[in-house]
Amino acid sequence: MLWGLRPVEPQAAHGLAVDLLRRQIHSGLLLPAERLPAERQLSDRFGISRVTLREALRVLETNQYITVRRGAQGGAFVTDEDRLTQLARRRMSRAPAAAMRVVEFLTVNQLAATRLAAARRGMADLKRLRQATDMMHAAGTAPQRKQAEALFLLALGDASQNPLLARAIEDGLAELFLPFEGALPDSSASEAVRSFEGLLHALQGEDAEAAEAAMADLHGMLWAAIRRMTRSAA
């Protein structure tokens, strides 16, 4: 019996490249004003022609995600922090309830991944998690903190040894495009780092209960930020 079939929506190759780069920006993996790899490198990574890549870059530039500069020092750059914040606020104001649904999705999947990671993580996983925690300590800006947090959560998904959970976390982070100051406010940054450190310590000790408690603390902070932003967007 067939169930849930939907019309297939054709998408041009440049549209797929747009989605992939936009996901990186939404997740915070690409920093404001960061220079993208050269066209040849990007087109090789995506497996598309440079003409197709240029079309994708034009779409991203039109939508204000990137700027393209000409000349010897030119190239494609992620747009600046202020513009990204404006894009995120606009997205939040259009559909505040959608952000709350994404947080629900992340809460369920990250807690499940945490339980599994406590039992299944390997030394390579712990190394990635420690590196992300070190990046949090070294971060001097909200975008750098967001990048470090995203890397930690992606490593957590991989540590669960469940590719479906890992993909769910990746998808959730890409969908949750928050203003940088809204992801975790400056006043809560040190508290968040302590929770991430507690989570790492619990995973090192294979303590699923403590790991879940640390993750619950992080989600409590995220929910508080979401509620504050949705109230201001209403």
Side-chain angles (χ1 to χ4, degrees):
M1 182 175 99
L2 297 175
W3 178 83
L5 295 183
R6 297 178 179 84
V8 175
E9 297 182 6
Q11 188 170 14
H14 81 270
L16 297 174
V18 168
D19 286 344
L20 288 170
L21 287 170
R22 188 163 45 205
R23 284 167 64 91
Q24 297 280 309
I25 295 171
H26 282 189
S27 299
L29 296 173
L30 285 172
L31 294 172
E34 181 174 347
R35 184 175 185 169
L36 300 181
E39 281 187 3
R40 185 184 300 277
Q41 292 175 284
L42 268 181
S43 60
D44 287 346
R45 290 187 191 182
F46 288 141
I48 58 178
S49 70
R50 294 175 72 175
V51 171
T52 301
L53 175 66
R54 289 185 192 121
E55 180 61 26
L57 295 178
R58 278 194 290 270
V59 171
L60 288 167
E61 185 176 29
T62 299
N63 291 326
Q64 302 181 317
Y65 280 98
I66 68 168
T67 59
V68 178
R69 305 173 194 167
R70 310 301 175 189
Q73 301 301 316
F77 296 79
V78 179
T79 194
D80 61 41
E81 182 176 346
D82 288 343
R83 182 57 55 84
L84 287 179
T85 296
Q86 291 172 12
L87 291 173
R89 285 175 176 165
R90 193 180 308 154
R91 180 185 174 97
M92 175 73 72
S93 66
R94 283 199 302 262
M100 300 185 75
R101 301 293 83 81
V102 176
V103 177
E104 287 178 345
F105 178 81
L106 280 170
T107 299
V108 170
N109 286 286
Q110 287 178 348
L111 283 171
T114 297
R115 288 192 294 271
L116 293 176
R120 299 176 177 177
R121 88 295 178 277
M123 296 306 296
D125 299 313
L126 293 175
K127 180 180 179 181
R128 287 177 62 195
L129 292 163
R130 280 194 297 271
Q131 288 173 336
T133 305
D134 290 341
M135 288 178 65
M136 292 178 207
H137 284 289
T141 65
Q144 289 170 346
R145 287 199 303 273
K146 181 176 179 180
Q147 182 188 57
E149 291 158 8
L151 289 170
F152 187 103
L153 294 169
L154 291 171
L156 174 71
D158 289 339
S160 75
Q161 308 302 323
N162 185 315
L164 296 178
L165 278 176
R167 180 57 186 270
I169 291 173
E170 181 183 347
D171 288 344
L173 292 175
E175 191 66 26
L176 189 65
F177 182 34
L178 298 181
F180 289 111
E181 78 277 8
L184 281 176
D186 288 341
S187 59
S188 301
S190 58
E191 182 182 353
V193 173
R194 285 194 296 271
S195 293
F196 276 109
E197 287 178 331
L199 177 51
L200 173 57
H201 182 74
L203 293 173
Q204 289 172 327
E206 300 180 278
D207 187 340
E209 185 175 342
E212 286 187 71
M215 179 59 77
D217 286 343
L218 289 167
H219 277 283
M221 285 181 267
L222 180 57
W223 272 112
I226 286 289
R227 292 189 183 101
R228 183 181 66 253
M229 286 184 291
T230 52
R231 282 196 299 268
S232 65

